[in-house]
Amino acid sequence: MSRGGRTKMNDDPERRCIVTRDVEPKAGLVRFVVGPDGAIYPDVAEKLPGRGIWVTAERAVIDEAQTKGFFARGAKAQVTIPENLTDIVETAIAHRTVELISLVRKSGRAVCGFEKVKGWLSEERAKVLLQASDGSDRGKGKLWTPTGSRWFGCLTSSELGLAFGRDRAIHGALAAGGLTPSVIREAARLAGMRKQDGDKAVASKDTKTA
């Protein structure tokens, strides 16, 4: 078990967070690089050239890396950092999560809407249950996370709606396979960035699937 209660995946390459000094699977961290201009850039897709600087995907940890000089130490050079770096990272991960869910939907492996999601849960077709952070607790409480599946409440109804091609969505479900593992990875990172979306809620849901 790694920091924050994340389950270690043996086949996931590991990196060391420059702040916590913990060695964790890459899925739980964000990669940064130093650009030609000496500025720090987040590389959430992990495709930019250059030596990677890795930070745990939590808002407080990235804030600490920015305010306490960890990026300069990691780069072994003076660097410039955008003042809103943490917000940039959160926005990038949210955008990536929405895009991936949209691709899963287009492949026919996703549904949204209370009745459709409930049907998938009853048939045990759902590998991931998605519920909007600003949705009604009463409505969300009527659905459940099947054993061995995942629950995420880190997207807003507007973001979840965008993923499903509508204005708003409160409930969504993804089937196993395809790009669903990639959605799980990005949604987990986004949940770490959006602590206000309810670590307690996530924990209580996960407890039901333990």
Side-chain angles (χ1 to χ4, degrees):
M1 190 75 71
S2 59
R3 188 176 189 272
R6 298 185 182 90
T7 301
K8 180 178 175 180
M9 302 297 290
N10 292 330
D11 57 349
D12 192 359
E14 296 180 329
R15 296 293 185 271
R16 186 183 298 276
C17 171
I18 61 170
V19 178
T20 68
R21 305 307 297 167
D22 291 335
V23 175
E24 302 182 46
K26 289 199 312 181
L29 298 101
V30 178
R31 184 178 188 262
F32 295 84
V33 297
V34 181
D37 56 356
I40 289 290
Y41 292 93
D43 178 25
V44 297
E46 300 172 12
K47 293 182 178 179
L48 295 178
R51 177 176 174 272
I53 300 171
W54 298 85
V55 184
T56 299
E58 293 180 12
R59 173 171 286 272
V61 181
I62 295 175
D63 283 342
E64 186 175 352
Q66 178 175 359
T67 58
K68 296 188 177 180
F70 283 100
F71 282 117
R73 277 181 246 172
K76 298 180 180 178
Q78 292 298 313
V79 296
T80 57
I81 307 172
E83 290 185 7
N84 60 337
L85 179 63
T86 309
D87 291 332
I88 292 172
V89 173
E90 179 184 325
T91 299
I93 296 175
H95 179 73
R96 195 167 158 77
T97 305
V98 168
E99 278 194 334
L100 286 167
I101 294 171
S102 180
L103 291 173
V104 175
R105 171 181 63 85
K106 291 174 182 177
S107 73
R109 295 177 179 270
V111 294
C112 72
F114 182 85
E115 292 300 334
K116 288 183 179 179
V117 171
K118 183 179 179 180
W120 272 34
L121 293 174
S122 298
E123 297 165 8
E124 298 187 352
R125 294 179 62 188
K127 180 65 177 177
V128 177
L129 173 63
L130 303 166
Q131 293 185 302
S133 58
D134 52 343
S136 162
D137 289 338
R138 182 178 179 182
K140 291 190 292 186
K142 294 178 181 178
L143 298 179
W144 63 96
T145 309
T147 301
S149 299
R150 297 293 301 274
W151 175 88
F152 292 104
C154 51
L155 291 170
T156 66
S157 57
S158 295
E159 290 169 332
L160 197 56
L162 182 61
F164 283 97
R166 54 179 63 190
D167 290 337
R168 296 176 72 251
I170 303 299
H171 313 283
L174 312 182
L179 289 171
T180 293
S182 297
V183 174
I184 291 173
R185 170 178 171 154
E186 296 306 325
R189 293 204 296 180
L190 185 60
M193 297 297 297
R194 294 180 171 178
K195 288 294 187 181
Q196 72 275 16
D197 282 342
D199 281 349
K200 292 182 180 179
V202 173
S204 64
K205 295 276 185 174
D206 286 344
T207 298
K208 294 180 182 179
T209 67

